[in-house]
Coordinates of all heavy atoms in Angstrom, one line a residue:
M3 N -104.4 155.4 7.5 CA -104.5 154.9 6.2 C -103.2 154.2 5.9 O -102.2 154.8 6.0 CB -104.8 156.1 5.3 CG -104.7 155.7 3.8 SD -104.8 157.2 2.9 CE -105.9 156.8 1.7
D4 N -103.3 152.9 5.5 CA -102.1 152.2 5.2 C -101.8 152.4 3.7 O -102.6 152.3 2.8 CB -102.4 150.7 5.4 CG -102.5 150.4 6.8 OD1 -101.9 151.1 7.7 OD2 -103.1 149.3 7.2
M5 N -100.5 152.8 3.5 CA -100.0 153.0 2.2 C -99.5 151.7 1.7 O -98.9 150.9 2.4 CB -98.9 154.0 2.1 CG -99.3 155.4 2.6 SD -100.5 156.2 1.5 CE -99.4 156.5 0.1
P6 N -99.7 151.3 0.4 CA -99.2 150.0 -0.1 C -97.7 150.1 0.0 O -97.1 151.2 -0.3 CB -99.7 150.1 -1.6 CG -100.2 151.3 -1.9 CD -100.4 152.1 -0.6
E7 N -97.1 149.0 0.2 CA -95.6 148.9 0.3 C -95.1 149.1 -1.1 O -95.5 148.5 -2.1 CB -95.2 147.6 0.8 CG -93.7 147.5 1.1 CD -93.3 146.1 1.7 OE1 -94.1 145.5 2.4 OE2 -92.2 145.7 1.3
T8 N -94.1 150.0 -1.2 CA -93.5 150.2 -2.5 C -92.1 149.6 -2.4 O -91.4 149.8 -1.4 CB -93.4 151.7 -2.9 OG1 -92.7 152.4 -1.8 CG2 -94.8 152.3 -3.0
R9 N -91.7 149.0 -3.5 CA -90.3 148.5 -3.6 C -89.5 149.5 -4.4 O -89.9 149.9 -5.4 CB -90.4 147.2 -4.2 CG -91.2 146.1 -3.4 CD -91.3 144.9 -4.1 NE -90.0 144.2 -3.9 CZ -89.6 143.2 -4.6 NH1 -90.2 142.8 -5.7 NH2 -88.4 142.7 -4.4
P10 N -88.3 149.8 -3.9 CA -87.5 150.7 -4.7 C -87.1 150.1 -6.0 O -87.1 148.8 -6.1 CB -86.2 150.8 -3.8 CG -86.3 149.9 -2.8 CD -87.7 149.4 -2.7
A11 N -87.1 150.9 -7.1 CA -86.7 150.4 -8.4 C -85.3 149.9 -8.4 O -84.5 150.3 -7.6 CB -86.9 151.5 -9.4
Q12 N -85.1 148.8 -9.2 CA -83.8 148.3 -9.3 C -82.8 149.4 -9.8 O -83.1 150.1 -10.7 CB -83.7 147.1 -10.2 CG -82.5 146.3 -10.3 CD -82.6 145.1 -11.2 OE1 -83.4 145.2 -12.2 NE2 -81.9 144.1 -10.9
N13 N -81.7 149.6 -9.1 CA -80.9 150.7 -9.5 C -80.2 150.4 -10.9 O -80.0 149.2 -11.3 CB -79.8 151.1 -8.4 CG -78.7 150.0 -8.2 OD1 -78.2 149.4 -9.2 ND2 -78.3 149.8 -7.0
L14 N -79.8 151.4 -11.5 CA -79.1 151.3 -12.8 C -78.0 150.4 -12.9 O -77.8 149.6 -13.8 CB -78.8 152.7 -13.3 CG -78.3 152.8 -14.8 CD1 -79.4 152.3 -15.7 CD2 -78.0 154.3 -15.1
H15 N -77.1 150.4 -11.8 CA -76.0 149.5 -11.8 C -76.4 148.1 -11.9 O -75.8 147.3 -12.6 CB -75.1 149.8 -10.5 CG -74.0 148.9 -10.3 ND1 -72.9 148.9 -11.1 CD2 -73.9 147.8 -9.5 CE1 -72.1 147.9 -10.7 NE2 -72.6 147.2 -9.7
E16 N -77.4 147.7 -11.1 CA -77.8 146.3 -11.1 C -78.4 145.9 -12.4 O -78.2 144.8 -12.8 CB -78.9 146.1 -9.9 CG -78.3 146.1 -8.5 CD -79.3 146.1 -7.4 OE1 -80.5 146.2 -7.8 OE2 -78.9 146.0 -6.3
Q17 N -79.1 146.8 -13.0 CA -79.7 146.5 -14.3 C -78.5 146.3 -15.3 O -78.6 145.4 -16.1 CB -80.6 147.7 -14.8 CG -81.8 147.8 -14.1 CD -82.7 149.1 -14.5 OE1 -82.3 149.8 -15.4 NE2 -83.8 149.3 -13.8
N18 N -77.6 147.2 -15.3 CA -76.4 147.1 -16.3 C -75.6 145.8 -16.0 O -75.2 145.1 -17.0 CB -75.5 148.3 -16.2 CG -76.1 149.5 -16.9 OD1 -77.1 149.4 -17.7 ND2 -75.6 150.7 -16.5
L19 N -75.5 145.5 -14.7 CA -74.7 144.2 -14.4 C -75.5 143.0 -14.9 O -74.9 142.1 -15.5 CB -74.6 144.1 -12.8 CG -73.9 142.9 -12.3 CD1 -72.5 142.8 -12.9 CD2 -73.8 142.8 -10.8
G20 N -76.8 143.0 -14.8 CA -77.6 141.9 -15.3 C -77.4 141.7 -16.8 O -77.3 140.6 -17.4
Q21 N -77.4 142.9 -17.5 CA -77.3 142.9 -19.0 C -75.9 142.4 -19.3 O -75.7 141.6 -20.3 CB -77.6 144.2 -19.6 CG -79.0 144.6 -19.4 CD -79.2 146.1 -19.8 OE1 -78.3 146.9 -20.0 NE2 -80.5 146.5 -19.9
T22 N -74.9 142.8 -18.6 CA -73.5 142.5 -18.9 C -73.3 141.0 -18.7 O -72.6 140.3 -19.5 CB -72.5 143.3 -18.0 OG1 -72.7 144.7 -18.2 CG2 -71.1 142.9 -18.2
L23 N -73.8 140.5 -17.6 CA -73.7 139.0 -17.3 C -74.4 138.1 -18.4 O -74.0 137.0 -18.5 CB -74.2 138.7 -15.9 CG -73.4 139.3 -14.7 CD1 -74.0 139.0 -13.4 CD2 -71.9 138.7 -14.8
A24 N -75.4 138.7 -19.0 CA -76.1 137.9 -20.0 C -75.4 138.1 -21.4 O -75.8 137.3 -22.3 CB -77.6 138.3 -20.1
A25 N -74.5 139.0 -21.5 CA -73.9 139.2 -22.8 C -72.8 138.2 -23.2 O -72.1 137.8 -22.3 CB -73.3 140.7 -22.8
P26 N -72.7 137.9 -24.5 CA -71.6 137.0 -24.8 C -70.2 137.7 -24.6 O -70.1 138.9 -24.7 CB -71.8 136.8 -26.4 CG -73.1 137.2 -26.7 CD -73.5 138.3 -25.6
I27 N -69.2 136.9 -24.1 CA -68.0 137.4 -23.8 C -67.4 138.2 -25.0 O -66.7 139.3 -24.7 CB -67.0 136.3 -23.4 CG1 -67.5 135.7 -22.0 CG2 -65.6 136.8 -23.2 CD1 -66.8 134.5 -21.5
K28 N -67.6 137.7 -26.2 CA -66.9 138.4 -27.3 C -67.4 139.8 -27.5 O -66.7 140.6 -28.1 CB -67.2 137.6 -28.6 CG -68.6 137.4 -29.0 CD -68.7 136.5 -30.3 CE -70.1 136.3 -30.6 NZ -70.2 135.2 -31.7
G29 N -68.5 140.1 -27.0 CA -69.1 141.5 -27.1 C -68.5 142.4 -26.0 O -68.6 143.6 -26.1
L30 N -67.8 141.8 -25.1 CA -67.2 142.6 -24.0 C -65.7 143.0 -24.2 O -65.2 143.8 -23.6 CB -67.4 141.9 -22.6 CG -68.8 141.6 -22.2 CD1 -68.7 140.6 -20.9 CD2 -69.6 142.7 -22.0
V31 N -65.1 142.2 -25.1 CA -63.7 142.3 -25.4 C -63.6 143.5 -26.3 O -64.1 143.6 -27.3 CB -63.1 141.1 -26.0 CG1 -61.7 141.2 -26.4 CG2 -63.3 139.9 -25.1
T32 N -62.7 144.5 -25.8 CA -62.5 145.7 -26.6 C -61.1 145.8 -27.3 O -61.0 146.7 -28.1 CB -62.7 146.9 -25.7 OG1 -61.7 146.9 -24.6 CG2 -64.1 147.0 -25.2
R33 N -60.2 144.8 -27.0 CA -58.9 144.9 -27.6 C -58.3 143.5 -27.6 O -58.7 142.6 -26.8 CB -58.0 145.9 -26.9 CG -57.6 145.6 -25.5 CD -56.8 146.5 -24.8 NE -55.4 146.6 -25.3 CZ -54.5 147.3 -24.9 NH1 -54.7 148.1 -23.9 NH2 -53.3 147.3 -25.4
A34 N -57.3 143.4 -28.4 CA -56.6 142.1 -28.5 C -55.8 141.9 -27.2 O -55.3 142.8 -26.6 CB -55.6 142.1 -29.7
P35 N -55.6 140.7 -26.8 CA -54.8 140.4 -25.6 C -53.3 140.8 -25.8 O -52.9 140.8 -26.9 CB -55.0 138.9 -25.3 CG -55.4 138.3 -26.7 CD -56.1 139.4 -27.4
I36 N -52.6 141.1 -24.7 CA -51.2 141.4 -24.8 C -50.5 140.2 -24.4 O -50.7 139.5 -23.4 CB -50.9 142.6 -23.8 CG1 -51.8 143.8 -24.1 CG2 -49.4 142.9 -23.8 CD1 -51.6 144.4 -25.5
F37 N -49.6 139.8 -25.3 CA -48.7 138.7 -25.0 C -47.3 139.1 -24.8 O -46.8 140.1 -25.3 CB -48.7 137.7 -26.2 CG -49.9 136.9 -26.4 CD1 -51.0 137.3 -27.1 CD2 -49.9 135.5 -25.8 CE1 -52.1 136.5 -27.3 CE2 -51.0 134.8 -26.1 CZ -52.2 135.2 -26.7
V38 N -46.5 138.3 -23.9 CA -45.1 138.5 -23.8 C -44.5 137.1 -24.0 O -45.2 136.0 -23.7 CB -44.7 139.0 -22.4 CG1 -45.2 140.4 -22.3 CG2 -45.2 138.2 -21.3
E39 N -43.2 137.0 -24.4 CA -42.5 135.8 -24.5 C -42.2 135.2 -23.2 O -42.0 136.0 -22.3 CB -41.3 136.0 -25.4 CG -41.5 136.3 -26.8 CD -42.3 135.2 -27.6 OE1 -41.9 134.0 -27.4 OE2 -43.2 135.6 -28.4
P40 N -42.1 134.0 -23.1 CA -41.8 133.3 -21.7 C -40.4 133.7 -21.2 O -40.1 133.7 -20.0 CB -41.9 131.9 -22.0 CG -41.9 131.6 -23.4 CD -42.3 132.9 -24.1
T41 N -39.5 134.1 -22.2 CA -38.1 134.4 -21.8 C -38.0 135.9 -21.4 O -37.0 136.3 -20.9 CB -37.2 134.1 -22.9 OG1 -37.7 134.8 -24.1 CG2 -37.1 132.6 -23.2
A42 N -39.1 136.7 -21.6 CA -39.0 138.1 -21.2 C -38.9 138.1 -19.7 O -39.4 137.2 -18.9 CB -40.4 138.8 -21.5
T43 N -38.1 139.1 -19.2 CA -37.8 139.1 -17.7 C -39.1 139.6 -17.0 O -40.1 140.2 -17.7 CB -36.7 140.1 -17.4 OG1 -37.0 141.4 -17.7 CG2 -35.4 139.6 -18.1
I44 N -39.2 139.4 -15.7 CA -40.3 139.9 -14.9 C -40.4 141.5 -15.1 O -41.5 142.0 -15.3 CB -40.1 139.6 -13.5 CG1 -40.2 138.1 -13.3 CG2 -41.2 140.3 -12.6 CD1 -39.8 137.5 -11.9
V45 N -39.3 142.1 -15.1 CA -39.3 143.6 -15.4 C -39.9 144.0 -16.7 O -40.7 144.9 -16.9 CB -37.9 144.2 -15.1 CG1 -37.9 145.6 -15.7 CG2 -37.5 144.2 -13.7
E46 N -39.3 143.3 -17.8 CA -39.8 143.6 -19.1 C -41.3 143.3 -19.2 O -42.0 144.1 -19.9 CB -39.1 142.6 -20.1 CG -37.7 143.0 -20.3 CD -36.9 142.1 -21.0 OE1 -37.2 140.8 -21.1 OE2 -35.8 142.4 -21.6
A47 N -41.9 142.3 -18.6 CA -43.3 142.0 -18.7 C -44.1 143.1 -17.9 O -45.0 143.6 -18.5 CB -43.6 140.7 -18.1
A48 N -43.6 143.6 -16.8 CA -44.2 144.7 -16.1 C -44.2 145.9 -16.9 O -45.2 146.7 -16.9 CB -43.6 144.9 -14.7
Q49 N -43.1 146.2 -17.6 CA -43.0 147.4 -18.4 C -43.9 147.3 -19.6 O -44.6 148.3 -20.0 CB -41.5 147.6 -18.9 CG -40.6 148.0 -17.8 CD -39.1 147.9 -18.2 OE1 -38.7 147.2 -19.1 NE2 -38.3 148.6 -17.5
T50 N -44.1 146.1 -20.2 CA -45.1 145.9 -21.3 C -46.5 146.2 -20.8 O -47.3 146.9 -21.4 CB -45.0 144.5 -21.8 OG1 -43.7 144.3 -22.4 CG2 -46.0 144.3 -22.9
M51 N -46.8 145.7 -19.6 CA -48.1 145.9 -19.0 C -48.4 147.4 -18.7 O -49.5 147.9 -19.0 CB -48.3 145.1 -17.7 CG -48.4 143.6 -18.0 SD -48.2 142.6 -16.5 CE -49.6 143.1 -15.5
Q52 N -47.3 148.1 -18.2 CA -47.5 149.5 -18.0 C -47.6 150.3 -19.3 O -48.6 151.1 -19.4 CB -46.2 150.1 -17.3 CG -46.2 151.5 -17.0 CD -45.0 152.0 -16.4 OE1 -43.9 151.6 -16.8 NE2 -45.0 153.0 -15.5
R53 N -46.8 150.0 -20.3 CA -46.9 150.7 -21.6 C -48.3 150.5 -22.2 O -48.9 151.4 -22.8 CB -45.8 150.2 -22.5 CG -45.7 150.8 -23.9 CD -44.6 150.4 -24.7 NE -44.6 149.0 -25.0 CZ -43.8 148.0 -24.5 NH1 -42.9 148.4 -23.6 NH2 -44.0 146.8 -24.8
E54 N -48.8 149.3 -22.2 CA -50.0 148.9 -22.8 C -51.3 149.3 -22.0 O -52.4 149.1 -22.4 CB -50.1 147.4 -23.2 CG -49.0 147.0 -24.2 CD -49.3 147.6 -25.6 OE1 -50.5 147.9 -25.9 OE2 -48.3 147.7 -26.3
R55 N -51.0 149.7 -20.7 CA -52.0 150.1 -19.8 C -53.0 148.9 -19.5 O -54.2 149.2 -19.6 CB -52.8 151.4 -20.2 CG -51.8 152.5 -20.5 CD -52.4 153.7 -20.7 NE -53.1 154.2 -19.5 CZ -53.5 155.4 -19.3 NH1 -53.4 156.3 -20.2 NH2 -54.1 155.7 -18.1
V56 N -52.4 147.8 -19.1 CA -53.3 146.6 -18.8 C -52.8 146.1 -17.5 O -51.7 146.3 -17.0 CB -53.1 145.5 -19.9 CG1 -53.7 146.0 -21.2 CG2 -51.7 145.1 -20.1
S57 N -53.7 145.4 -16.8 CA -53.4 144.8 -15.5 C -53.0 143.3 -15.6 O -52.8 142.7 -14.5 CB -54.6 144.9 -14.6 OG -55.7 144.3 -15.1
S58 N -52.9 142.8 -16.8 CA -52.5 141.4 -17.0 C -51.9 141.2 -18.4 O -52.2 141.9 -19.3 CB -53.7 140.4 -16.8 OG -54.6 140.6 -17.7
C59 N -51.1 140.2 -18.6 CA -50.7 139.8 -19.8 C -50.6 138.3 -20.0 O -50.5 137.6 -19.0 CB -49.3 140.4 -20.2 SG -47.9 139.9 -19.2
L60 N -50.7 137.8 -21.2 CA -50.6 136.4 -21.5 C -49.2 136.0 -21.8 O -48.4 136.8 -22.4 CB -51.5 136.0 -22.6 CG -53.0 136.2 -22.3 CD1 -53.8 135.9 -23.6 CD2 -53.5 135.3 -21.3
V61 N -48.8 134.9 -21.4 CA -47.4 134.4 -21.5 C -47.4 133.3 -22.6 O -48.1 132.3 -22.4 CB -46.7 133.9 -20.2 CG1 -45.3 133.5 -20.5 CG2 -46.8 135.0 -19.2
A62 N -46.7 133.5 -23.7 CA -46.8 132.6 -24.8 C -45.8 131.4 -24.6 O -44.9 131.3 -25.3 CB -46.4 133.4 -26.1
C63 N -46.2 130.6 -23.6 CA -45.4 129.4 -23.4 C -46.3 128.2 -23.6 O -47.5 128.4 -24.0 CB -44.8 129.4 -22.0 SG -46.0 129.9 -20.6
D64 N -45.8 127.0 -23.3 CA -46.6 125.8 -23.5 C -46.7 125.0 -22.2 O -45.7 124.5 -21.8 CB -45.9 125.0 -24.6 CG -46.8 123.8 -25.0 OD1 -48.0 123.9 -24.8 OD2 -46.2 122.9 -25.5
P65 N -47.8 125.0 -21.5 CA -49.1 125.6 -22.0 C -49.0 127.1 -21.7 O -48.2 127.6 -20.8 CB -50.1 124.9 -21.0 CG -49.4 124.6 -19.8 CD -47.9 124.2 -20.3
P66 N -49.9 127.9 -22.3 CA -49.9 129.3 -22.2 C -50.2 129.7 -20.7 O -50.9 128.9 -19.9 CB -51.0 129.9 -23.0 CG -51.3 128.8 -24.0 CD -50.9 127.4 -23.3
G67 N -49.7 130.9 -20.3 CA -50.0 131.3 -18.9 C -50.5 132.8 -18.9 O -50.6 133.4 -19.9
I68 N -50.7 133.3 -17.7 CA -51.1 134.6 -17.5 C -50.4 135.1 -16.3 O -50.1 134.4 -15.3 CB -52.6 134.7 -17.3 CG1 -53.1 136.2 -17.3 CG2 -53.1 134.0 -16.1 CD1 -54.6 136.4 -17.5
V69 N -50.0 136.4 -16.3 CA -49.5 137.2 -15.2 C -50.3 138.4 -14.9 O -50.6 139.1 -15.9 CB -48.0 137.5 -15.5 CG1 -47.5 138.4 -14.4 CG2 -47.1 136.3 -15.6
T70 N -50.7 138.6 -13.7 CA -51.5 139.8 -13.3 C -50.7 140.7 -12.4 O -49.6 140.4 -12.0 CB -52.7 139.3 -12.6 OG1 -52.3 138.8 -11.3 CG2 -53.6 138.3 -13.4
D71 N -51.2 141.9 -12.2 CA -50.6 142.8 -11.3 C -50.4 142.2 -9.9 O -49.3 142.3 -9.2 CB -51.5 144.1 -11.0 CG -51.4 145.0 -12.2 OD1 -50.5 145.0 -13.0 OD2 -52.4 145.9 -12.2
R72 N -51.4 141.4 -9.5 CA -51.3 140.7 -8.2 C -50.1 139.7 -8.2 O -49.4 139.5 -7.2 CB -52.6 140.0 -7.9 CG -52.5 139.3 -6.5 CD -53.9 138.6 -6.2 NE -54.8 139.6 -5.8 CZ -56.1 139.5 -5.6 NH1 -56.6 138.2 -5.7 NH2 -56.9 140.5 -5.3
D73 N -49.9 139.0 -9.3 CA -48.8 138.0 -9.4 C -47.5 138.8 -9.3 O -46.6 138.3 -8.6 CB -48.9 137.3 -10.7 CG -50.0 136.4 -10.9 OD1 -50.5 135.8 -9.9 OD2 -50.5 136.2 -12.1
L74 N -47.4 139.9 -9.9 CA -46.2 140.7 -9.8 C -45.9 141.1 -8.4 O -44.8 141.0 -7.9 CB -46.2 141.9 -10.7 CG -46.2 141.7 -12.2 CD1 -46.5 143.0 -13.0 CD2 -44.9 141.1 -12.7
R75 N -46.9 141.5 -7.7 CA -46.8 141.9 -6.2 C -46.5 140.7 -5.4 O -45.5 140.8 -4.6 CB -48.1 142.6 -5.8 CG -47.9 143.1 -4.4 CD -49.3 143.5 -3.8 NE -50.2 142.3 -3.7 CZ -51.5 142.3 -3.9 NH1 -52.1 143.4 -4.3 NH2 -52.2 141.2 -3.8
D76 N -47.4 139.7 -5.5 CA -47.2 138.5 -4.5 C -46.1 137.6 -4.9 O -45.4 137.1 -3.9 CB -48.6 137.8 -4.5 CG -49.7 138.7 -3.9 OD1 -49.4 139.8 -3.4 OD2 -50.8 138.2 -4.0
R77 N -46.0 137.2 -6.1 CA -45.0 136.2 -6.5 C -43.6 136.7 -6.8 O -42.7 135.9 -6.8 CB -45.5 135.4 -7.7 CG -46.8 134.6 -7.4 CD -47.3 133.9 -8.6 NE -48.5 133.2 -8.3 CZ -49.2 132.6 -9.2 NH1 -48.8 132.6 -10.5 NH2 -50.3 132.0 -8.9
A78 N -43.5 138.0 -7.1 CA -42.2 138.6 -7.4 C -41.6 139.5 -6.3 O -40.7 139.3 -5.7 CB -42.2 139.2 -8.8
L79 N -42.4 140.6 -6.2 CA -41.9 141.6 -5.3 C -41.9 141.2 -3.8 O -40.9 141.3 -3.1 CB -42.7 143.0 -5.4 CG -42.6 143.6 -6.8 CD1 -43.6 144.8 -6.9 CD2 -41.2 144.0 -7.1
A80 N -43.0 140.8 -3.4 CA -43.2 140.3 -1.9 C -42.3 139.1 -1.7 O -41.7 138.9 -0.5 CB -44.5 140.0 -1.5
A81 N -42.0 138.3 -2.6 CA -41.1 137.1 -2.5 C -39.7 137.5 -2.7 O -38.9 136.6 -2.6 CB -41.6 136.0 -3.5
E82 N -39.4 138.7 -3.0 CA -38.1 139.1 -3.3 C -37.4 138.4 -4.3 O -36.2 138.1 -4.2 CB -37.2 139.2 -2.0 CG -37.9 140.2 -1.0 CD -37.1 140.4 0.3 OE1 -36.0 139.7 0.5 OE2 -37.5 141.1 1.2
L83 N -38.1 138.0 -5.4 CA -37.4 137.3 -6.5 C -36.5 138.2 -7.3 O -36.8 139.4 -7.3 CB -38.5 136.7 -7.5 CG -39.3 135.5 -7.0 CD1 -40.2 135.1 -8.3 CD2 -38.4 134.4 -6.7
D84 N -35.6 137.7 -7.9 CA -34.7 138.4 -8.9 C -35.6 138.8 -10.0 O -36.2 138.0 -10.8 CB -33.6 137.5 -9.4 CG -32.7 138.1 -10.4 OD1 -33.0 139.2 -10.9 OD2 -31.8 137.4 -10.9
L85 N -35.8 140.1 -10.3 CA -36.6 140.6 -11.3 C -36.1 140.4 -12.7 O -36.8 140.6 -13.7 CB -37.0 142.1 -11.1 CG -37.7 142.4 -9.8 CD1 -38.0 143.8 -9.6 CD2 -38.9 141.5 -9.5
G86 N -34.9 139.8 -12.8 CA -34.4 139.4 -14.1 C -34.7 138.0 -14.5 O -34.4 137.6 -15.6
L87 N -35.5 137.3 -13.6 CA -35.9 136.0 -13.9 C -37.0 136.0 -15.1 O -37.7 137.0 -15.2 CB -36.6 135.3 -12.7 CG -35.6 134.9 -11.6 CD1 -36.4 134.4 -10.4 CD2 -34.7 133.8 -12.1
P88 N -37.1 134.9 -15.9 CA -38.1 134.9 -16.9 C -39.5 135.0 -16.3 O -39.8 134.4 -15.2 CB -37.9 133.5 -17.5 CG -36.5 133.0 -17.1 CD -36.3 133.7 -15.7
I89 N -40.4 135.7 -17.0 CA -41.8 135.9 -16.5 C -42.5 134.5 -16.4 O -43.3 134.4 -15.5 CB -42.6 136.8 -17.5 CG1 -43.9 137.3 -16.8 CG2 -42.8 136.2 -18.8 CD1 -43.6 138.1 -15.6
E90 N -42.1 133.5 -17.1 CA -42.8 132.2 -17.0 C -42.7 131.7 -15.6 O -43.4 130.8 -15.2 CB -42.4 131.2 -18.0 CG -40.9 130.7 -17.9 CD -40.6 129.8 -19.0 OE1 -41.5 129.1 -19.6 OE2 -39.4 129.6 -19.3
T91 N -41.6 132.1 -14.8 CA -41.4 131.8 -13.5 C -42.6 132.0 -12.6 O -42.9 131.2 -11.6 CB -40.1 132.5 -12.9 OG1 -39.0 132.2 -13.8 CG2 -39.8 131.9 -11.5
I92 N -43.3 133.1 -12.8 CA -44.4 133.4 -12.0 C -45.8 133.3 -12.7 O -46.8 133.7 -12.0 CB -44.2 134.9 -11.4 CG1 -44.3 135.9 -12.4 CG2 -43.0 134.9 -10.5 CD1 -44.4 137.4 -11.9
A93 N -45.8 132.8 -13.9 CA -47.0 132.8 -14.6 C -48.0 131.7 -14.0 O -47.5 130.6 -13.6 CB -46.8 132.4 -16.1
S94 N -49.3 132.0 -14.0 CA -50.2 131.0 -13.7 C -50.6 130.1 -14.9 O -50.9 130.6 -15.9 CB -51.6 131.7 -13.2 OG -51.3 132.4 -12.0
R95 N -50.5 128.9 -14.7 CA -50.8 127.9 -15.7 C -51.5 126.6 -15.1 O -51.1 126.3 -14.0 CB -49.6 127.5 -16.5 CG -48.9 128.6 -17.2 CD -47.7 128.1 -18.0 NE -46.6 128.0 -17.1 CZ -45.3 127.6 -17.5 NH1 -45.1 127.4 -18.7 NH2 -44.4 127.6 -16.6
P96 N -52.3 126.0 -15.9 CA -52.8 126.3 -17.2 C -54.0 127.3 -17.1 O -54.5 127.5 -16.0 CB -53.4 124.9 -17.6 CG -53.8 124.2 -16.4 CD -52.8 124.7 -15.3
L97 N -54.2 127.9 -18.2 CA -55.3 128.9 -18.2 C -56.7 128.2 -18.2 O -56.9 127.1 -18.7 CB -55.3 129.7 -19.5 CG -54.0 130.6 -19.7 CD1 -54.1 131.3 -21.0 CD2 -53.9 131.6 -18.6
H98 N -57.7 128.8 -17.6 CA -59.0 128.4 -17.5 C -59.7 129.3 -18.5 O -59.7 130.5 -18.4 CB -59.6 128.5 -16.2 CG -58.9 127.6 -15.2 ND1 -59.1 126.3 -15.1 CD2 -58.0 127.9 -14.2 CE1 -58.4 125.8 -14.2 NE2 -57.6 126.7 -13.6
T99 N -60.4 128.7 -19.6 CA -61.0 129.5 -20.6 C -62.5 129.3 -20.6 O -63.0 128.3 -20.2 CB -60.4 129.2 -22.0 OG1 -60.6 127.9 -22.2 CG2 -58.9 129.5 -21.9
L100 N -63.2 130.3 -21.3 CA -64.6 130.2 -21.6 C -64.8 130.3 -23.1 O -64.1 131.1 -23.8 CB -65.4 131.2 -20.9 CG -65.4 131.2 -19.4 CD1 -66.1 132.4 -18.8 CD2 -66.1 129.9 -18.9
D101 N -65.8 129.7 -23.7 CA -66.2 129.9 -25.0 C -66.6 131.3 -25.1 O -67.4 131.9 -24.3 CB -67.4 129.0 -25.4 CG -67.7 129.1 -26.9 OD1 -67.1 128.3 -27.7 OD2 -68.6 129.9 -27.2
S102 N -66.3 132.1 -26.3 CA -66.6 133.4 -26.4 C -68.1 133.7 -26.6 O -68.6 134.9 -26.5 CB -65.8 134.0 -27.6 OG -66.2 133.4 -28.9
D103 N -68.9 132.7 -26.9 CA -70.3 132.9 -27.1 C -71.0 132.7 -25.8 O -72.2 133.0 -25.6 CB -70.9 131.9 -28.1 CG -70.4 132.3 -29.5 OD1 -70.4 133.5 -29.9 OD2 -70.1 131.3 -30.3

């Protein structure tokens, strides 16, 4: 007796992912972004990120930039930069943005 082929139900993670990808960005943001001044040192920016418990911060320069944990590791620590340099030294710019809707 042949049993009809059954397809496993889509797992909950995949369902949630699909809902999340369809949601407006503004509904996913739970807090205001963290900014640091471009003259803040690399150490000061890292300390701000640690204190605020975030993995990235925006740099209030012109044009604005962003620094992530990976930037701190790859562009500062691994490159053996002076950690007293301004954070804008390792900021990624320009930012790529999306409409919040």
Side-chain angles (χ1 to χ4, degrees):
M3 170 190 231
D4 289 335
M5 297 293 288
E7 184 178 330
T8 58
R9 299 179 75 204
Q12 189 178 30
N13 71 39
L14 186 58
H15 174 73
E16 290 173 348
Q17 290 174 4
N18 288 340
L19 179 61
Q21 292 170 353
T22 300
L23 292 175
I27 293 171
K28 64 184 173 187
L30 303 174
V31 176
T32 59
R33 66 182 289 184
I36 303 300
F37 281 88
V38 294
E39 291 298 318
T41 56
T43 66
I44 294 170
V45 167
E46 290 168 337
Q49 290 169 338
T50 297
M51 290 166 62
Q52 179 186 38
R53 183 179 59 252
E54 297 293 333
R55 303 186 72 165
V56 295
S57 60
S58 63
C59 64
L60 297 174
V61 182
C63 49
D64 187 22
I68 189 169
V69 172
T70 66
D71 284 343
R72 181 178 288 175
D73 295 328
L74 291 171
R75 182 192 66 216
D76 295 349
R77 295 180 181 173
L79 296 175
E82 298 183 1
L83 282 185
D84 174 359
L85 301 181
L87 288 172
I89 194 63
E90 69 179 338
T91 306
I92 65 166
S94 296
R95 296 184 278 185
L97 295 177
H98 299 280
T99 61
L100 297 172
D101 185 89
S102 65
D103 291 320

